[in-house]
Amino acid sequence: MTTRRTLTDLMDEVSRRNRDWSSPQDLGFDRATVAAAWLASEDPLAMLLLLAALHPRRDKEKCLELATEMSFFEPMRVEAHTMSRLYGGGVNFNGPSPFYFIRLCQRLRTALPWIEDTKRSQLEPELAAAIRVVVHDPFTLVGPAA
């Protein structure tokens, strides 16, 4: 009998092995295992880290969609607002671009520890579900079929 690995476990292993997140990461797991873990995950940090590992390049549309879908959580609402102002261009902006999956992951990682445990246990599955609304398949960044 094999034990199903969670996306959190898989991404912990990947993050321990890899240091350079500017290029796609070798996950070291077969696609079916990762896809099954993605669909079962309730860990939004692991989900965003997987997206960052697979797609390290800037993606304005998907990052804005993700931040907007998670905007029921105040830090993501602020991030979505910032992104929407910058999306069209023409705005001078100094600092790191917000349109990277790793940036969303970092923003969420800094916000979640301040949330009370009982509220966090309710919030994390809601954030994970919001991520899956935008990205059903993490390998192709395709959303669910309409």
Side-chain angles (χ1 to χ4, degrees):
M1 183 172 142
T2 59
T3 306
R4 280 185 112 181
R5 310 239 352 242
T6 67
L7 188 61
T8 306
D9 296 337
L10 298 177
M11 293 315 299
D12 282 346
E13 283 186 38
V14 170
S15 63
R16 277 195 302 265
R17 282 195 314 259
N18 299 307
R19 295 290 177 239
D20 180 18
W21 291 88
S22 63
S23 58
Q25 304 296 307
D26 175 19
L27 299 178
F29 307 103
D30 66 270
R31 191 175 174 138
T33 300
V34 175
W38 171 268
L39 292 173
S41 182
E42 291 190 346
D43 182 352
L45 291 172
M47 295 173 83
L48 290 172
L49 192 59
L50 175 62
L51 292 176
L54 295 173
H55 311 282
R57 303 273 183 242
R58 190 167 82 155
D59 191 326
K60 283 184 168 185
E61 289 181 21
K62 281 297 175 190
C63 285
L64 179 58
E65 280 183 70
L66 282 167
T68 301
E69 192 65 35
M70 294 186 290
S71 66
F72 57 86
F73 181 46
E74 181 63 26
M76 290 294 107
R77 182 174 22 257
V78 170
E79 199 70 16
H81 177 71
T82 300
M83 286 180 181
S84 66
R85 283 189 6 245
L86 298 174
Y87 185 75
V91 176
N92 289 332
F93 181 74
N94 292 326
S97 172
F99 299 108
Y100 289 91
F101 296 118
I102 195 73
R103 170 86 170 119
L104 284 174
C105 184
Q106 291 165 341
R107 181 69 183 108
L108 197 56
R109 182 174 283 137
T110 59
L112 284 176
W114 298 98
I115 305 299
E116 179 184 310
D117 286 343
T118 54
K119 184 171 180 169
R120 184 174 173 168
S121 66
Q122 295 169 351
L123 180 64
E124 285 181 337
E126 292 171 6
L127 289 166
I131 293 169
R132 270 191 296 277
V133 165
V134 176
V135 180
H136 184 70
D137 179 0
F139 292 97
T140 62
L141 294 180
V142 173

